[in-house]
Amino acid sequence: MITRFAPSPTGPLHLGHAYSAILAHTRAKSAGGQFLLRIEDGDPARCRPEWEDLIYQDLDWLGLEWQRPVWRISDRTADYSAALDRLTDMGLTYPCSCTRRDIAEAHGAPQGDLPIGPD
């Protein structure tokens, strides 16, 4: 079994992060598997090296061990671009030109009467 924890270095970890990391670590180790750490640093405007360093310190403090080297999204952009190109060539992507503002405004828009359940 391989599990992973993928925090974004945009601030300190919180209790939910700690719970998720411990759960993933415990499940992997109890199955004789691997626990991976992937840093979701794909938003350079919000991600900071000092927050990434703090993630490592916090996980170490929790007693967690992870495979090294750590995967970082920013180190794998060529891989992701190639995969996206393949999906696009297959007609499986649906481009969106929404801005962050568009998405934020849509989130706050009135939804009307939504049906409950699968109908």
Side-chain angles (χ1 to χ4, degrees):
M1 172 183 288
I2 299 173
T3 63
R4 65 110 176 103
F5 176 60
S8 296
T10 56
L13 297 183
H14 54 68
L15 288 177
H17 288 124
Y19 176 77
S20 295
I22 291 169
L23 181 64
H25 184 268
T26 301
R27 289 189 58 130
K29 295 301 178 183
S30 67
Q34 295 177 302
F35 172 68
L36 304 178
L37 178 59
R38 183 181 73 209
I39 300 295
E40 296 280 335
D41 63 343
D43 184 353
R46 296 181 33 209
C47 296
R48 299 280 182 264
E50 59 269 22
W51 293 120
E52 185 173 336
D53 291 340
L54 191 56
I55 289 169
Y56 302 136
Q57 292 171 32
D58 287 346
L59 296 178
D60 187 53
W61 181 81
L62 289 169
L64 307 184
E65 298 173 355
W66 55 93
Q67 182 177 332
R68 288 171 173 80
V70 171
W71 283 28
R72 299 174 76 248
I73 293 295
S74 62
D75 293 339
R76 302 178 56 82
T77 54
D79 296 330
Y80 296 123
S81 292
L84 185 58
D85 289 344
R86 283 193 305 275
L87 292 170
T88 299
D89 291 344
M90 296 168 63
L92 298 174
T93 59
Y94 303 91
C96 176
S97 60
C98 296
T99 64
R100 287 182 185 260
R101 175 183 225 137
D102 295 335
I103 294 167
E105 288 174 357
H107 179 70
Q111 303 301 315
D113 292 328
L114 295 177
I116 297 175
D119 298 331

